[in-house]
Amino acid sequence: MVLRSENKANKKKKKWVKILISVFIVLFLAVGAYAFSVYNSLSNAVETMHAPIDREKSDKRTEDVALEEAQPFSILLLGVDQRENDSGRSDSIIVLTVNPQQNSVKMVSIPRDTRTEIVGKGIQDKINHAFAFGGVEMSIATVENFLDIPIDYYIQINMEGFKDIVDAVGGVTVQNTLDFTYEGTHFKEGTLTLSGAEALKYSRMRYEDPQGDFGRQARQRQIIQGVINEGASLSSLTNYGDIFKALGNNVKTSLTFSQMVTIQSKYKSASKSIEQIQLEGQGGKINGVYYFNVSEEKRTQTQQLLKAHLGI
């Protein structure tokens, strides 16, 4: 009688073990299917974003950067204000040099009004006009000439459509240091949570800012950092489809999906130390047009700093 009861109990235990195993298998498959869906959506988004330029490598390099070997590289970030029926101008120009051996990133913001040679046009003009004249290729060539370093990759963000990216991650939180009103929206000092439309206005204002273009660049970096923070949060996982769609519609880059994966795995430690470098110069008018002028001494100092960081 006791033996029969034990057999019955063992059968019940086995039944529950089978049920638990079945539940875990279902959960594993569900998570696996979700992970595959995320991976597939990201891969498709990056494929849409991928826009290579017509050159194999920078003219300032003798051979390509070997990302698999974790060699230092540079990337040009272009925040382009491109509206309907307009070729656009690069309102935000940021150069990053990444060195995994030093676990550091150097970030140089180039003011949009900086006067320099526009490579391919043979004229002295505002550096942001290079994009209007010749798109990404002319912007890269002009920045390379200005800083005398290779630009290995680029990322172009359409600032007009950037509001879609902000909305896709559920808005961004910023610390505003300047009380101002722009295009009918008031931005008070302190912690602000901004929608996409508000973030776009917040990042565009410069004339009321005592720092002018430098202040606007700082706010643009705030918005981009806010998007990164929100995009990395767990709450964004359920909304990944909208996020990837917004990225695909508003971001162009020469980086491939496999290169992004390699950078994430080989260069992650470099993001621990990000040094922001501000180009020093003076503003003034030439023939009635305002320019930001960087002295040769200051430009040479910046060039040497970036070259050392790139190991060239």
Side-chain angles (χ1 to χ4, degrees):
M1 190 73 179
V2 174
L3 185 59
R4 185 179 296 177
S5 297
E6 288 179 352
N7 288 337
K8 197 171 183 179
N10 286 334
K11 286 181 179 179
K12 286 185 177 180
K13 286 181 180 178
K14 288 180 180 179
K15 183 179 180 181
W16 277 108
V17 169
K18 287 181 179 179
I19 292 173
L20 287 173
I21 290 174
S22 298
V23 170
F24 279 121
I25 289 174
V26 170
L27 285 174
F28 177 78
L29 290 174
V31 172
Y34 179 77
F36 175 77
S37 178
V38 173
Y39 180 90
N40 192 50
S41 294
L42 175 57
S43 180
N44 290 337
V46 173
E47 186 176 339
T48 302
M49 292 158 53
H50 185 53
I53 56 177
D54 189 22
R55 68 173 186 177
E56 293 184 2
K57 66 179 186 307
S58 168
D59 293 337
K60 294 186 178 293
R61 284 198 184 275
T62 56
E63 56 185 26
D64 288 333
V65 173
L67 295 178
E68 289 290 347
E69 297 176 12
Q71 293 180 348
F73 72 93
S74 66
I75 189 163
L76 174 64
L77 304 181
L78 295 171
V80 178
D81 193 356
Q82 195 169 21
R83 311 183 191 195
E84 190 175 355
N85 300 320
D86 181 17
S87 60
R89 287 186 175 87
S90 48
D91 280 349
S92 182
I93 305 170
I94 301 172
V95 174
L96 302 177
T97 56
V98 185
N99 188 315
Q101 285 77 42
Q102 297 181 16
N103 288 331
S104 64
V105 175
K106 295 193 185 298
M107 177 188 296
V108 180
S109 293
I110 304 176
R112 52 176 272 173
D113 294 328
T114 300
R115 191 170 189 266
T116 190
E117 179 188 351
I118 306 299
V119 176
K121 291 290 286 186
I123 60 173
Q124 294 283 324
D125 204 343
K126 297 182 180 184
I127 197 167
N128 73 324
H129 287 183
F131 187 88
F133 291 140
V136 170
E137 287 85 353
M138 192 172 286
S139 293
I140 290 175
T142 298
V143 171
E144 281 189 334
N145 182 67
F146 180 71
L147 293 177
D148 196 29
I149 62 168
I151 296 298
D152 300 308
Y153 307 103
Y154 83 90
I155 297 176
Q156 175 189 329
I157 303 172
N158 177 17
M159 299 306 292
E160 179 68 18
F162 196 67
K163 61 180 181 292
D164 297 332
I165 300 175
V166 174
D167 286 332
V169 300
V172 294
T173 300
V174 298
Q175 294 295 325
N176 183 29
T177 59
L178 179 68
D179 187 286
F180 67 93
T181 299
Y182 183 72
E183 292 185 350
T185 300
H186 178 235
F187 299 94
K188 62 182 181 180
E189 287 188 49
T191 303
L192 302 177
T193 299
L194 307 176
S195 67
E198 291 169 337
L200 191 60
K201 293 180 181 180
Y202 180 79
S203 66
R204 277 181 169 167
M205 190 281 287
R206 68 166 173 159
Y207 292 115
E208 293 181 38
D209 194 321
Q211 298 185 72
D213 202 35
F214 295 112
R216 177 166 67 168
Q217 289 175 2
R219 284 190 295 279
Q220 288 174 342
R221 289 195 295 269
Q222 276 188 313
I223 298 298
I224 292 172
Q225 186 64 56
V227 168
I228 293 172
N229 292 342
E230 294 296 334
S233 69
L234 289 175
S235 61
S236 68
L237 288 177
T238 57
N239 203 32
Y240 70 88
D242 290 340
I243 295 173
F244 293 158
K245 181 180 178 181
L247 287 172
N249 289 339
N250 296 292
V251 176
K252 297 296 179 186
T253 180
S254 57
L255 287 165
T256 64
F257 183 68
S258 61
Q259 287 172 330
M260 291 183 186
V261 171
T262 300
I263 290 172
Q264 197 281 330
S265 63
K266 300 282 187 179
Y267 296 80
K268 187 190 304 183
S269 61
S271 63
K272 295 178 182 178
S273 175
I274 300 177
E275 178 188 357
Q276 296 196 22
I277 301 168
Q278 188 65 63
L279 277 173
E280 296 181 22
Q282 291 184 335
K285 289 188 176 182
I286 300 176
N287 297 326
V289 178
Y290 175 85
Y291 294 97
F292 182 78
N293 297 289
V294 180
S295 69
E296 281 302 313
E297 180 185 1
K298 295 297 183 183
R299 186 159 70 129
T300 300
Q301 289 176 0
T302 303
Q303 290 173 348
Q304 292 173 343
L305 183 67
L306 296 180
K307 286 179 182 179
H309 198 236
L310 288 172
I312 58 175

